[in-house]
Amino acid sequence: MIYQYIQSLAAAGKKMLAVLIDPGKTSIQHVKDTVLQAKNAGVDFILVGGSLMLNQEMDDTIQAIKQETDLPVLIFPGSTIQISSKADAILFLSLISGRNPDLLIGRHVESAMLIKQIQLEAIPTAYILIDGKQFTSVQYISQTLPLPSDKPDIAIATAVAGEMLGMKMIYMDAGSGALEPVPEKILTSVKKHTAIPIWVGGGIRNPEQAIRAWQSGADIVVVGNAVEENLQLIKTIASSR
Ligand code: 1GP
């Protein structure tokens, strides 16, 4: 089970790194090159997903990834068509920073039976958008407002509510290409009040930002855009741990 694996590494204090691949933005060859770099650098997880992406792209991409590595592949879904039996697990996201009922329960009802049928491990995840000083695709697509980046109390209350609702992980996201990643103060505050693994992503572009995120309490740092532009960065960030 992927969740138990994540939980045990988080409990051991491992600084985990995940590379996010958005198949809508890249070629299969580039996916393979990315995965090879990730594997050699000791990355822990490959995430696959994006705001605009087709089902076939998801299947083809995961298949290509699996040809190169046995690293766990997790779906980070941008929509209900981003589901594939080829993945190892899916982050079953509830967008709890927003008030769009469709992203709190609607899409879950639509996709639950398919996920069950293909026996894909679904990990209930409290998905919290934090203002990254940039209007991001996820804000537009979800039609929700992110949490203010200077209000840790709201982030704490939101994360604690997610944990109380039974969610098993927290994903704090400044959004792909954010100008500012999730601030340290938000991460330290949420870490202090919750006990489940914390993912953080959005706008992390260098080892210093990744180190700050790990030191502030993130268990898993996610990097997408920056490594898409520069594959060498995977190794630089991974070896900074
Ligand atoms: C976006 O957290 C991810 O949802 C990753 O963001 O592409 O900016 O690294 P970046």
Side-chain angles (χ1 to χ4, degrees):
M1 296 286 275
I2 299 292
Y3 179 64
Q4 268 75 25
Y5 177 63
I6 294 174
Q7 217 183 12
S8 62
L9 293 182
K14 169 122 202 264
K15 297 179 174 76
M16 291 171 266
L17 178 63
V19 167
L20 171 65
I21 293 175
D22 181 346
K25 287 192 194 162
T26 183
S27 66
I28 288 288
Q29 188 52 51
H30 192 69
V31 168
K32 291 192 170 196
D33 295 343
T34 308
V35 170
L36 272 179
Q37 289 277 348
K39 180 171 123 181
N40 294 334
V43 162
D44 301 279
F45 304 100
I46 305 290
L47 284 190
V48 186
S51 291
L52 296 171
M53 187 181 134
L54 310 174
N55 179 266
Q56 190 56 43
E57 284 176 331
M58 175 68 90
D59 271 352
D60 294 348
T61 303
I62 298 178
Q63 196 162 322
I65 296 170
K66 289 288 184 187
Q67 282 165 6
E68 303 298 330
T69 180
D70 49 17
L71 278 177
V73 178
L74 279 63
I75 298 175
F76 176 52
S79 76
T80 51
I81 58 167
Q82 294 175 23
I83 294 172
S84 167
S85 58
K86 296 183 167 64
D88 298 291
I90 183 167
L91 304 188
F92 203 53
L93 304 174
S94 292
L95 184 57
I96 62 170
S97 52
R99 298 295 178 268
N100 178 346
D102 220 21
L103 303 175
L104 289 164
I105 182 63
R107 305 285 174 87
H108 311 69
V109 173
E110 285 169 24
S111 57
M113 293 315 287
L114 173 60
I115 293 172
K116 199 175 171 80
Q117 197 180 53
I118 63 175
Q119 297 182 343
L120 181 61
E121 178 183 347
I123 310 176
T125 304
Y127 187 41
I128 302 176
L129 295 180
I130 310 281
D131 185 15
K133 310 295 177 201
Q134 166 104 321
F135 185 54
T136 59
S137 304
V138 61
Q139 285 172 42
Y140 178 76
I141 299 281
S142 69
Q143 294 285 302
T144 67
L145 285 176
L147 297 189
S149 57
D150 59 349
K151 301 270 190 295
D153 288 356
I154 302 182
I156 294 169
T158 306
V160 169
E163 190 179 34
M164 278 179 183
L165 282 166
M167 292 173 203
K168 293 185 173 161
M169 306 195 293
I170 295 163
Y171 191 131
M172 282 186 277
D173 197 353
S176 195
L179 293 181
E180 285 178 18
V182 176
E184 290 156 61
K185 178 80 182 130
I186 296 269
L187 286 170
T188 50
S189 306
V190 168
K191 184 69 174 184
K192 202 170 147 196
H193 290 87
T194 56
I196 49 181
I198 296 178
W199 295 68
V200 69
I204 296 177
R205 312 193 59 85
N206 56 50
E208 294 73 29
Q209 289 171 323
I211 291 167
R212 277 200 291 273
W214 281 312
Q215 286 177 345
S216 308
D219 296 292
I220 308 157
V221 166
V222 181
V223 188
N225 258 315
V227 300
E228 222 163 88
E229 289 158 20
N230 173 13
L231 288 184
Q232 301 304 322
L233 199 59
I234 300 177
K235 197 165 177 220
T236 322
I237 295 182
S239 56
S240 71
R241 291 179 284 182

